[in-house]
Each structure stands twice: as structure tokens, then as C-alpha cells.
Amino acid sequence: MIFDWDFAYSILPNLVDAVWVTIAATFWGFLLALGLGLVLALLRRSRFRLISWPVGFVIEFVRSTPLLVQIYFLYFVLPEFGLVMSPFLTGVIALGVHYAAYTSEVYRAGIDGVPKGQWEACVALDLSPYRTMRSVIVPQAIPPVVPALGNYLVAMFKDTPMLSAITVLELLQTAKIIGSQTFRYLEPLTMVGVIFLLLSLVASMMVRLVERRLAPAQSSPLLDYTK
Amino acid sequence: MSQIDMSAPPMVRFRNVSKAFGDLVVLDDLNLDVQPNEKVAIIGPSGSGKSTLLRVLMTLETIDSGVIEVDGEPLWHMRRGDKLVPASRGHLREMRKKIGMVFQQFNLFPHMTVLRNVTEAPIHVLGLSKEEARARAVELLEMVGLGDKLDSYPANLSGGQQQRVGIARALAMRPKVMLFDEVTSALDPELVGEVLTVMRRLAEEHDLTMLMVTHEMGFAREIADRVCFFDSGRIAEEGPPSVIFSDPKQDRTRAFLSAVLNSQ
Amino acid sequence: MLDVFDLLPLLLTGAVVTVQITVMGGALALVMAFAAGLGRLSRSAPIRWLSTVYVEFFRGTSALIQLFWLFYALPLLGVSLDPMVAAVIGLGLNIGSYGAEVVRGAVLAVPRGQYEAARALGFSRAQMLRRILVPQAIPAMVPPFGNLWIELLKATALVSLITLGDLTFQAQMLRTATLQTPLIFGTVLFIYFALAMVMVFIIRRIERRVGRGLDRGGMRT
């Protein structure tokens, strides 16, 4: 069996439709991850151990267990408690919560990177803890970590095929359906691979562009291959 | 002290050598001959290109134009017929064996013991047997006063000790030319003396051409055969230390020396 | 009503498969990380390109798609892989591509002076990498390698989708058979968490080992 270009061309419109589902899941999932991650980061810094410890445990737990199992958990377990959501919404929440555990660590690194003098200045100015975070610390903590957040956006995008396991009609699920109807898996799966490759290469390039604006590229004499 | 034969062909020769980093000219049409066994101290303000002079000689930086010769052979070029063509990697590797360098920041290999720091290159670059390399290393380490530190790691040595290992490491390759790039600048003042003592012995007892970029004016005056005052990529003034330090001709030399000597 | 002890034997059979893939895939990933990471620093342009294509390809596509392609599409080209082989190859190559960037970054981060000292002593590029730069870069590689290994453990759940009987697969089987959904998935999540904690413990030990006696920073004045 060889790659059938006509067949590939005929299924392209279906796959292009599915791209939008993939992108929508990435977009909403990441929005959730950005917001929830910041909340988790701030809670983890709390002075009250009754808050900071459980939050720290939840972050570690979510980071150490498979996203696929978390997706199943939300999809199969929540309805038993009367919470029924569409597969798409379930998937978005799973992606968002999973990656919030990662973004919270990124935010934490950003907050730790703000110079000590900024905190001291806030104390000297008698700013409330809320005002200190809101106006001084967080605005300075985020720009340096934008590339790291961008990398997680790309990573989340590449995890969206897992939503196929709960029947979300994203790219991989669409390819699987085409495969089961036509018994041709080679073309749809290869095309989905290529689409992911193209989109994530573009996304990674954008992240690197931002990165380079924030910090000049690494230079090493080893990169001179003539020596 | 070994004698300098002024009629011998030079050990190191710079002919119209230029080098720029972007707009910044660090070597400006430089000419310099160093005789075998000669000890040359290079002094001058920071950013004047002193270190670059050593670094192009060690082939850590390329040159833009001109010719450098070491021991009668072009460094960055090879003779093909009567033409000079750019050097191959093999040629550069051969030429590097003639030259040793000691660095301001020591650059010892932190994952190796003192002994291995000194034997690694003789074994793998020169092809010495382990026993030969070890014998050579022990002798050199004893000479620099570290015969009891063979199995220590660099992190457990003082800066002065590390730098003495750095000198032994370079000498183990039996180079004809030794380059010293501000080797005491990173040291606490009380550790400078032990390194200078080693260098003094080296200068007095060994047939070795030495080029030293230094801020230690007293030391330069004491052991150098010639002092070169470097300014804006050129040698602005040169001569025996007695002349340069007591009776400099150039205003810039005078200004530099008075600034440095007053601060020391 | 079933309790957790009725479920455990089956789940543990699955966990064994999960551990096998985590270990074997990890070994393959380690080999690929060094091969491609150092390949990207090779003086030979074809080797550099090959390594770069490998890294960009496996980082650019999704692990699940790679597994599906190996398991469902590759047989149509005449190469049929056993699911276990497909899982180890797919996940090993995927994680290895991230590991290659770790190797490359760590080698490039060795202080410039080390490179210069090695050059001044006449080492060839290969000797310099092998004897001077890579040994010094290894301690910096261990923590990110540890993170990638945990990522590999998590990614093994994907093999349940190519019919391999790992922990997640067994959970799905049990779910359809018993409908004890909260108990099953709760237990499974905790088994994964426990496995991750064991791996963290192993990684910490390795970190201490490679870091020992090697206080960084060549200067102490």
C-alpha cells in the first residue's frame, strides 16, 4: 500500500474542520491554565500552611499523574456526582487544570525572580498585600516568563489528541473515524501528523522570537563548526 | 638566566596583524618580534588589545589580516609553494603544540584531580604513556610546590594553588612559547606572590619564550627583558624595563604608569 | 460492592507493563538524547541536519499521533510492530527528542574558559567534548532528565489506546466490567503518583551521586 494522494486530498476538508476544534480546545484550555495557574501560585505562597500545603500537594499530584487518566476521571467520575458536561468542555477543563499545575510553577519562578528591593519598597510604601501583588510584583513577574508559558501552550496543543479518547471530534478522532470507515489509516494519520508538525513549528518559532527579544541567543565557540 | 640571541630568527613574529570586533579595532597593523628565550611583558590600559594579542597567538581568536609566525612557521596560514593559504585544522593543531597558555580565571578542569588536569593532554594529545605523563606531571607539580596535592580536586585548592596547577598543566605539553594572560588578576592580594615566585623560577631556569600580559609592574620590571606598552591596538612604546619604567618617551606611557603606580 | 483489594491484582498487572515501558523507553530516550544532542554539535553538517530533523519532528508532533502512526499506519507500509515494541520505540524516540535539547543545552552551558583551556592544550573537538565538556555537563542534565522521565511515565498511559494492557488499560477494562468508576480511577491516579514518587527518589539519589565531590565553579580564591 502506498500513500494515495487523491484520497488524501478528498479528506482534507474534514481535517481542516477538525483543526478548529483542536485550536478551540487549546485556546480555552490555555486560558483556564493561565488564570487558574496564577491563583494556585498565589495560594501556594500563602502564609497559612493550611492553604499552602494542600495546594502544593494538589499541584504535585496533578503534575505527576497522566493527563489521559485525569481526562477519564473527569469524564466518567463527575457524572456519578450529577455533574454532566459535554466531552469538549470536560476536555478543556482537564487540559486547563493539568497545565495550571505547570503554569503555577512558572509564575512562582517569575515571582521569586522579582528583586527583593521591590518587596521592601512596597512595605516602605505601606501597600496592602493585595496591592503589592496586583500592582508591583505580578506585573514584573510575568514578562520574563512569557517564553516558558509559550512553551506550555505548544505542549498543551500537542496533548489535545488525547481528547479523542473521550470522543471529542478533534484532529486525531476525525482521522480515526475516517480510518475506520475507509480502512485507510495511513493517509489521515500521516496528514494529522504533518498538520501538527506545521502548526507547532510555527508556534515554537513565535516563542523563540519572543525569547530572543527578552534574552539574546546563547553564543558558544562550540557553535563555530569550522574549528 | 638564559641568554637571548638577538641574531637568531624570532620565535614569534607578528607582521601587519589586524583584528577588529565589529567597529572596535583591537589589533591595528601590529608588528612584533619576540626572540627565543625572551621574556616580554605587555602592559597597557584595559581594552587596549593586550589579551587579544595572546588569544590570537593561541588561536582562540582569528585574525583579519597579516601573518603571525611561530618558530619560523606561519600560524594561521600554510605554505603552499611560495603562496600562503589559510591553515587547515591539522596545521593549527600542530602549531598549538608549540604554545601553552595560562588563563586569568585558571580554567582548570573541575571534574579531574590535579594530577589528571596535568596528564590528560600529554596522554591524549601528545600520545605519552600514562607512566611518562605521570612522571612529567609529578615533576612539574613538585616544581610549582604542589607535590602533595596530586589527588585533590581544583575546588579544594586556593586560587594561588589553582593557578600554579594551571602553569604546570601548560608546561606539561613542553611548549616553546608560554602565554600568561593576567594570571594574577583574579587572585586575592596575599596569593599573588606564590604565583609570581613560580613564574620567576620559570623565567630564570628554563629555556622558554614568555609573553606576559600583566598589571604587576614591579614583577614586569624585575623579570622582563622587554616591556611593550600597548595602546589602542598598537605597541605605543617598547624597550628594556629600566628605560620604560624610569624614562618613558611617550606622554601616554607616562600617564598610564603614573596612574597605575600611584594606585598600587 | 467491590473494594480496592479486589481491584488491585489486575491493576498491578497493568502497573508492571507501565513500569516496563517507563524503564525501557527511558533507556532508549537516554541513548537518543545523547546521540542527537551531540549530533547537533557535530562538525559534520549531514549529522547535524539529521539530528535536527529528528528533534524537530518528534518535538513538533504529538506523542499520541506518533504511537497511532507506528501502530495503525506503519503496518500498511508493510512493517508491523508488536504493541509493546511500538510503545517503547514511539515514547522513547519522543522523550529522547526533548532529552537531546537537554544534552545540547547543558554542553553549551559549560563555561567558555573550559573550551578555551581544552583548545590551548591541543585537544581535538571530539576529545574536548568527550573528556572535558560532556563530563562537566552531566550534573546539569540530571534534573531535567528526571523531569522527562516523569513525563515518560505519564505518557505511558497513551499506550492503552494502542491495545497495550498497561495500568490505564486495565482501569478501563475494570470500569466497563464493574462500573466502580470513582474507586478505580482514584486508585489508578494514586498508583501513578506513587510510581512518580519512587522515580523522584531515584532521581534525587542520582543527583547527589553525580554532584558529589564536584563543587562547581573553578575559582576559589
Side-chain angles (χ1 to χ4, degrees):
Chain A
M1 188 171 189
I2 51 155
F3 198 91
D4 182 342
W5 288 97
D6 290 334
F7 176 61
Y9 190 72
S10 72
I11 60 172
L12 191 59
N14 300 36
L15 294 179
V16 169
D17 287 343
V19 167
W20 291 109
V21 179
T22 291
I23 289 177
T26 309
F27 177 81
W28 293 111
F30 199 62
L31 210 60
L32 178 58
L34 284 179
L36 184 60
L38 185 58
V39 173
L40 290 175
L42 296 177
L43 288 178
R44 196 176 194 177
R45 292 186 63 91
S46 165
R47 268 169 302 169
F48 304 106
R49 288 183 179 167
L50 225 54
I51 296 175
S52 63
W53 284 10
V55 169
F57 177 78
V58 168
I59 291 173
E60 281 311 312
F61 191 88
V62 171
R63 272 161 55 99
S64 308
T65 50
L67 174 57
L68 181 63
V69 182
Q70 292 167 7
I71 292 172
Y72 284 147
F73 188 86
L74 292 183
Y75 189 66
F76 294 120
V77 175
L78 289 187
E80 302 223 348
F81 298 98
L83 195 59
V84 181
M85 294 180 294
S86 73
F88 181 81
L89 184 57
T90 309
V92 164
I93 290 175
L95 285 171
V97 170
H98 190 78
Y99 276 90
Y102 286 93
T103 55
S104 75
E105 292 297 286
V106 173
Y107 287 126
R108 185 163 79 142
I111 291 170
D112 289 346
V114 175
K116 209 171 144 227
Q118 295 293 311
W119 295 89
E120 290 171 351
C122 292
V123 173
L125 291 169
D126 209 15
L127 296 184
S128 70
Y130 172 77
R131 198 30 73 192
T132 300
M133 276 292 175
R134 168 88 177 63
S135 308
V136 181
I137 304 301
V138 170
Q140 294 186 72
I142 290 179
V145 298
V146 166
L149 293 173
N151 283 330
Y152 282 122
L153 172 64
V154 178
M156 174 188 280
F157 169 67
K158 285 181 290 193
D159 275 350
T160 55
M162 284 187 217
L163 303 191
S164 66
I166 54 166
T167 73
V168 175
L169 278 172
E170 47 65 69
L171 269 168
L172 183 60
Q173 181 69 1
T174 308
K176 269 160 61 185
I177 291 173
I178 294 171
S180 63
Q181 286 168 350
T182 62
F183 303 104
R184 295 198 68 105
Y185 282 98
L186 180 63
E187 291 83 2
L189 284 177
T190 305
M191 288 165 74
V192 167
V194 171
I195 293 172
F196 264 91
L197 188 61
L198 290 179
L199 287 175
S200 54
L201 281 181
V202 170
S204 309
M205 265 184 325
M206 276 162 25
V207 172
R208 272 175 223 174
L209 221 65
V210 175
E211 218 163 18
R212 217 159 281 167
R213 281 189 57 174
L214 288 169
Q218 204 168 20
S219 104
S220 161
L222 261 190
L223 296 177
D224 182 348
Y225 299 105
T226 60
K227 284 178 181 168
Chain B
M1 192 182 226
S2 47
Q3 288 303 302
I4 301 163
D5 181 358
M6 293 311 288
S7 63
M11 178 60 79
V12 174
R13 162 169 278 196
F14 282 72
R15 279 282 162 272
N16 308 105
V17 174
S18 291
K19 162 88 183 164
F21 295 110
D23 290 337
L24 181 70
V25 178
V26 282
L27 297 180
D28 185 6
D29 202 25
L30 178 74
N31 288 293
L32 173 67
D33 283 356
V34 180
Q35 294 305 117
N37 292 336
E38 195 179 2
K39 324 296 176 200
V40 177
I42 299 157
I43 62 171
S46 53
S48 59
K50 317 185 289 288
S51 285
T52 308
L53 188 147
L54 298 191
R55 292 170 60 82
V56 297
L57 207 46
M58 192 65 257
T59 70
L60 297 175
E61 310 273 3
T62 54
I63 56 175
D64 297 340
S65 61
V67 176
I68 300 175
E69 283 177 17
V70 176
D71 200 16
E73 289 237 36
L75 175 67
W76 282 104
H77 304 81
M78 294 185 297
R79 293 207 175 87
R80 185 164 297 163
D82 40 344
K83 271 201 295 205
L84 285 180
V85 296
S88 68
R89 278 197 302 274
H91 176 81
L92 285 173
R93 282 194 68 189
E94 280 309 306
M95 292 303 289
R96 260 177 227 138
K97 291 182 186 163
K98 299 175 190 279
I99 309 164
M101 184 160 182
V102 184
F103 297 87
Q104 182 178 357
Q105 303 291 344
F106 328 140
N107 296 348
L108 295 188
F109 304 132
H111 59 303
M112 296 180 183
T113 61
V114 164
L115 183 67
R116 256 194 84 195
N117 261 280
V118 183
T119 57
E120 191 75 359
I123 291 172
H124 296 289
V125 178
L126 300 182
L128 261 58
S129 74
K130 282 204 171 110
E131 295 71 36
E132 285 173 283
R134 190 191 150 92
R136 193 184 273 196
V138 169
E139 187 188 331
L140 285 167
L141 286 166
E142 277 169 359
M143 186 197 92
V144 300
L146 293 171
D148 57 337
K149 296 285 184 190
L150 302 184
D151 297 321
S152 302
Y153 280 88
N156 299 323
L157 301 182
S158 74
Q161 290 170 327
Q162 289 193 51
Q163 193 58 296
R164 286 185 277 150
V165 176
I167 294 171
R169 181 175 72 172
L171 287 172
M173 299 298 284
R174 301 257 162 99
K176 297 188 167 177
V177 183
M178 278 282 279
L179 311 177
F180 295 87
D181 189 7
E182 302 196 29
V183 294
T184 57
S185 297
L187 297 176
D188 287 343
E190 75 273 19
L191 300 177
V192 169
E194 60 190 67
V195 172
L196 295 185
T197 304
V198 167
M199 288 175 68
R200 198 174 290 122
R201 271 192 69 186
L202 212 55
E204 286 165 2
E205 298 171 12
H206 292 262
D207 280 353
L208 205 55
T209 309
M210 291 168 62
L211 270 75
M212 300 164 277
V213 169
T214 185
H215 294 297
E216 299 289 334
M217 296 303 156
F219 177 71
R221 168 177 241 161
E222 183 190 342
I223 74 158
D225 301 305
R226 178 160 44 131
V227 175
C228 297
F229 174 68
F230 218 77
D231 191 34
S232 315
R234 290 167 169 274
I235 295 172
E237 184 166 2
E238 61 179 321
S242 53
V243 176
I244 295 283
F245 286 113
S246 348
D247 185 22
K249 302 283 174 288
Q250 306 267 346
D251 289 343
R252 274 184 308 184
T253 317
R254 208 170 292 133
F256 172 77
L257 285 173
S258 76
V260 171
L261 294 174
N262 283 337
S263 71
Q264 277 184 351
Chain C
M1 184 96 180
L2 291 162
D3 68 20
V4 72
F5 294 103
D6 301 311
L7 304 172
L8 269 181
L10 210 52
L11 290 181
L12 288 181
T13 4
V16 170
V17 175
T18 295
V19 170
Q20 281 173 340
I21 302 170
T22 306
V23 171
M24 291 193 289
L28 176 61
L30 194 62
V31 171
M32 292 309 293
F34 275 95
L38 296 178
R40 290 194 70 185
L41 293 171
S42 165
R43 192 152 42 208
S44 146
I47 293 180
R48 282 206 307 277
W49 291 333
L50 207 65
S51 309
T52 306
V53 166
Y54 159 68
V55 169
E56 291 296 334
F57 179 81
F58 277 91
R59 277 160 44 104
T61 52
S62 167
L64 185 55
I65 294 171
Q66 288 155 21
L67 285 179
F68 266 70
W69 200 89
L70 281 178
F71 191 70
Y72 291 110
L74 197 57
L76 303 174
L77 294 173
V79 185
S80 285
L81 298 177
D82 174 73
M84 187 67 178
V85 175
V88 169
I89 292 181
L91 295 179
L93 292 182
N94 180 274
I95 298 292
S97 68
Y98 290 88
E101 291 295 87
V102 170
V103 170
R104 180 172 181 269
V107 170
L108 288 178
V110 173
R112 195 190 175 93
Q114 294 293 312
Y115 165 92
E116 297 189 341
R119 279 293 292 284
L121 290 168
F123 286 106
S124 70
R125 191 178 169 99
Q127 285 176 323
M128 181 191 322
L129 280 167
R130 168 150 165 244
R131 302 187 177 281
I132 310 298
L133 301 182
V134 171
Q136 288 188 62
I138 282 175
M141 294 177 198
V142 175
F145 274 164
N147 289 339
L148 286 177
W149 199 31
I150 305 267
E151 290 299 320
L152 173 60
L153 166 71
K154 291 161 57 184
T156 58
L158 302 178
V159 305
S160 64
L161 300 173
I162 57 165
T163 73
L164 203 56
D166 78 321
L167 184 52
T168 305
F169 186 85
Q170 301 295 359
Q172 282 283 53
M173 301 295 284
L174 282 171
R175 182 185 66 80
T176 39
T178 68
L179 300 176
Q180 295 273 311
T181 310
L183 180 64
I184 293 165
F185 281 107
T187 310
V188 164
L189 282 172
F190 269 95
I191 294 176
Y192 275 113
F193 186 65
L195 287 176
M197 289 303 108
V198 171
M199 289 163 69
V200 167
F201 176 75
I202 294 171
I203 295 159
R204 293 276 176 278
R205 292 200 59 162
I206 297 174
E207 267 174 45
R208 271 206 299 279
R209 194 140 184 199
V210 299
R212 195 167 49 199
L214 242 186
D215 301 314
R216 307 275 95 206
M219 293 181 54
R220 209 193 62 182
T221 45

